[in-house]
Amino acid sequence: MQRIWSDALDTVSDNLDKATGSKTEQVLQNELDVEIGKFEVDNKNYITTTKLKVKVTNKTTETKSFSIKIEAVDNDGTRIDEDTIYINDLKSGQSQNVEGFNLVTSDKAKQLKNAKFEILEVSTY
């Protein structure tokens, strides 16, 4: 009986770690594929719109939801900005194209054009 409780606690602990981003590397290795595309800036009619295209694929056999925190850093490694993308109810093997960094000021958009985008944290639930 004690073994059953121990296994159950381990499972709960692992799931909690995945939900809080503590197991980002494990989630990226086993559960989610993330392809970060190019940051785009469009200046039309005095309005600056921005987007970072991201493609995600659920690698598990279950429907899952994910959150992905991405940071943008300059050539010196200094963080310029960060954004979190949410993907809900992605089915097994399913991919989805999503966008981040949509609400960026024109000054920051100039900095982000040359930034490197990196995954900070991934949560699954």
Side-chain angles (χ1 to χ4, degrees):
M1 183 69 158
Q2 188 174 8
R3 172 92 172 138
I4 293 171
W5 282 109
S6 178
D7 289 347
L9 286 175
D10 287 346
T11 300
V12 168
S13 178
D14 188 52
N15 288 338
L16 184 59
D17 287 343
K18 288 179 184 177
T20 61
S22 298
K23 297 259 181 153
T24 293
E25 287 183 33
Q26 180 183 349
V27 171
L28 289 172
Q29 182 177 12
N30 301 322
E31 299 184 27
L32 184 68
D33 184 43
V34 180
E35 297 175 35
I36 298 176
K38 184 178 178 188
F39 180 73
E40 298 177 14
V41 179
D42 189 5
N43 296 306
K44 286 186 183 174
N45 303 325
Y46 305 103
I47 298 173
T48 300
T49 59
T50 60
K51 63 183 169 188
L52 176 69
K53 293 182 178 182
V54 178
K55 181 179 180 182
V56 297
T57 304
N58 179 354
K59 300 192 295 187
T60 73
T61 59
E62 304 171 21
T63 298
K64 297 252 184 170
S65 296
F66 302 92
S67 66
I68 306 164
K69 185 184 277 188
I70 298 174
E71 72 173 345
V73 296
D74 65 15
N75 291 333
D76 297 328
T78 302
R79 181 181 294 164
I80 300 168
D81 204 355
E82 67 179 56
D83 196 8
T84 303
I85 299 170
Y86 300 94
I87 302 95
N88 293 314
D89 301 322
L90 197 61
K91 294 179 183 173
S92 172
Q94 188 175 37
S95 295
Q96 183 176 346
N97 293 312
V98 292
E99 296 177 358
F101 293 89
N102 295 111
L103 302 174
V104 176
T105 63
S106 57
D107 291 346
K108 197 160 279 194
K110 290 177 186 175
Q111 291 178 292
L112 292 173
K113 276 185 174 182
N114 299 315
K116 179 179 178 186
F117 294 87
E118 302 172 343
I119 297 171
L120 277 178
E121 184 178 282
V122 176
S123 300
T124 182
Y125 41 94

